[in-house]
Amino acid sequence: MTARISLCIVGYGYWGPKLVRNFLGLKECRNIVVCDSMETRRFQAVADFPSVQVTADFASVLANPAIAAVVIATPVTTHFPLAKAALLAGKHVLVEKPLATTAEHAEELVALAARQGLSLMVDHTFVYHSVVARIKTLLDESHLGKLRYIDSTRINLGLFQHDVNVIWDLAVHDVSIVHHLVPERPVSVQAIGASHVANGLENIGFLVLRYASGLIVHSNCSWISPVKIRHMLFGGDKRMILYNDLDTEEPIKIYDSGFEARSDDERSQLLFDYRVGDIHSPKIVIAEALQSMARDFVRSIHAQRPAISNGAFGLEIVKVLAAAERSIRSNGTEIRLA
Ligand SMILES: NC(=O)c1ccc[n+]([C@@H]2O[C@H](COP(=O)([O-])OP(=O)(O)OC[C@H]3O[C@@H](n4cnc5c(N)ncnc54)[C@H](O)[C@@H]3O)[C@@H](O)[C@H]2O)c1
């Protein structure tokens, strides 16, 4: 039987409780310590989960040899210093998305984890989503034909983040989903955004990724929409998919629709044939993605193998987001990616 591990979840705000619940649900986990600098959050943790221990002292967590792993669910700008300290203390580390706010910091964490022989993983939750897994199978089996575009709308009212803009908070999901689904990597990034608050952080953002194959990816994200929409369209030349993350009954609809362009030699014009066929909605049993993510982290530690959403994967996402940030600062200039 594999030894059960004890871990510490740092940050018990909005997302931390979901992590605690999911790690407590794993048979591979023994004790969970919650570390939060706010007393009210520590009280809340004990009220929600009486079996957890709580502390405000991150240094004592790092010094405790019984704690094998640290899960970081604090604001994004704190990810790098906390993850670095944990890796230096010999702990396996799971960091909430995104891994860090600069490519240099993300690279440093990946290199440090490798030197220390420790697992480093990022919670890109959608990578573990049952619906995303089904879309991946459909794409891998060329069910859509040649993939032409992915168009995502990820908008709602709030939650405003205090330390990063909406691209780092919401478009990060689109970039990680696309990286997981598509073997190709983008050749360039363009982004624009607007801030309507005093701290200057963009609360609306539009991101475009271009690929050598001609694939184009667009992400529209916002914290100031009156309606919550979580739509992703995947357009192939044979079929197209609408993924509605808020529809648990029919999360994906496959449209047997497409178009074909042919030239009319007589008039040297392009003519288009449109095909509008059946719509099919496959049954998908939706398991909790966070549970699969938590399990992958624990198993990566036990089996000493990289998790799906490992540090290197997280670094690739940070590189795209950092380039998007540069593009926003230069009024939407197209930034080439190496
Ligand atoms: N994977 C997802 O889908 C998803 C969804 C939401 C949030 N997140 C991520 O989770 C992280 C936390 O977001 P949130 O919305 O829960 O934030 P939050 O502000 O609600 O909670 C953060 C908590 O961390 C505590 N904290 C801050 N600095 C600390 C420190 N140095 N030591 C100990 N405790 C500290 C705060 O007291 C607070 O309770 C972010 O990285 C965010 O991107 C991920």
Side-chain angles (χ1 to χ4, degrees):
M1 198 184 113
T2 8
R4 294 162 74 210
I5 64 164
S6 297
L7 52 85
C8 173
I9 294 173
V10 191
Y12 195 81
Y14 165 65
W15 201 247
K18 300 179 200 314
L19 291 165
V20 173
R21 177 172 54 74
N22 278 287
F23 276 105
L24 278 176
L26 294 183
K27 62 177 182 341
E28 294 93 338
C29 280
R30 193 170 41 196
N31 295 327
I32 292 193
V33 176
V34 169
C35 174
D36 199 298
S37 40
M38 279 174 67
E39 190 178 37
T40 50
R41 298 312 300 160
R42 297 195 298 278
F43 278 136
Q44 189 61 50
V46 178
D48 294 342
F49 303 103
S51 70
V52 302
Q53 293 165 267
V54 289
T55 180
D57 185 7
F58 186 55
S60 72
V61 169
L62 299 186
N64 183 348
I67 295 176
V70 168
V71 178
I72 297 168
T74 52
V76 176
T77 47
T78 65
H79 290 182
F80 172 70
L82 295 177
K84 183 174 175 180
L87 289 168
L88 286 171
K91 313 293 182 195
H92 302 285
V93 172
L94 167 64
V95 189
E96 261 314 317
K97 57 81 186 167
L99 175 56
T101 53
T102 68
E104 293 72 24
H105 280 171
E107 262 160 11
E108 191 178 330
L109 293 177
V110 172
L112 180 57
R115 272 203 309 282
Q116 297 278 75
L118 295 164
S119 282
L120 173 65
M121 178 173 161
V122 188
D123 174 16
H124 287 298
T125 318
F126 280 100
V127 164
Y128 295 89
H129 201 297
S130 327
V131 175
V132 173
R134 176 62 72 91
I135 296 172
K136 182 159 175 55
T137 305
L138 292 166
L139 291 176
D140 289 350
E141 292 171 352
S142 298
H143 201 69
L144 305 197
K146 192 169 162 39
L147 188 61
R148 305 285 195 199
Y149 69 86
I150 300 173
D151 191 3
S152 176
T153 307
R154 201 172 286 280
I155 60 176
N156 49 268
L157 196 59
L159 299 165
F160 273 75
Q161 298 299 308
H162 300 282
D163 60 344
V164 288
N165 68 19
V166 73
I167 296 268
W168 289 89
D169 183 48
L170 292 183
V172 61
H173 291 305
D174 293 318
V175 177
S176 65
I177 292 170
V178 175
H179 261 52
H180 180 59
L181 292 179
V182 177
E184 209 181 354
R185 292 297 175 245
V187 292
S188 75
V189 183
Q190 271 173 289
I192 53 171
S195 171
H196 304 100
V197 286
N199 66 11
L201 293 172
E202 288 77 13
N203 42 263
I204 287 188
F206 305 108
L207 175 92
V208 174
L209 307 180
R210 289 179 192 276
Y211 292 75
S213 66
L215 170 67
I216 185 163
V217 174
H218 173 245
S219 165
N220 162 14
C221 39
S222 168
W223 292 322
I224 56 167
S225 157
V227 286
K228 181 170 183 174
I229 301 177
R230 294 284 186 270
H231 279 182
M232 286 186 93
L233 277 168
F234 296 81
D237 60 0
K238 276 202 216 142
R239 295 189 186 83
M240 305 189 196
I241 293 177
L242 169 63
Y243 165 24
N244 179 359
D245 190 49
L246 303 182
D247 185 344
T248 48
E249 288 296 309
E250 295 186 343
I252 61 176
K253 291 197 173 74
I254 305 170
Y255 291 77
D256 195 2
S257 300
F259 71 91
E260 225 168 277
R262 59 188 165 77
S263 56
D264 172 353
D265 292 335
E266 265 177 39
R267 287 182 293 164
S268 14
Q269 266 185 348
L270 265 187
L271 297 177
F272 294 93
D273 291 329
Y274 300 98
R275 190 169 41 77
V276 182
D278 289 342
I279 304 168
H280 170 61
S281 182
K283 179 81 197 143
I284 303 176
V285 179
I286 300 180
E288 189 169 0
L290 214 48
Q291 178 91 158
S292 312
M293 187 285 299
R295 190 174 299 114
D296 195 27
F297 178 54
V298 172
R299 294 198 175 160
S300 78
I301 296 170
H302 283 314
Q304 298 183 333
R305 53 127 182 100
I308 299 171
S309 176
N310 57 46
F313 181 88
L315 166 61
E316 287 193 359
I317 311 300
V318 170
K319 282 182 175 169
V320 173
L321 298 176
E325 178 88 39
R326 283 210 301 284
S327 179
I328 289 179
R329 300 291 151 248
S330 54
N331 289 321
T333 305
E334 186 171 10
I335 307 287
R336 305 293 299 177
L337 292 164

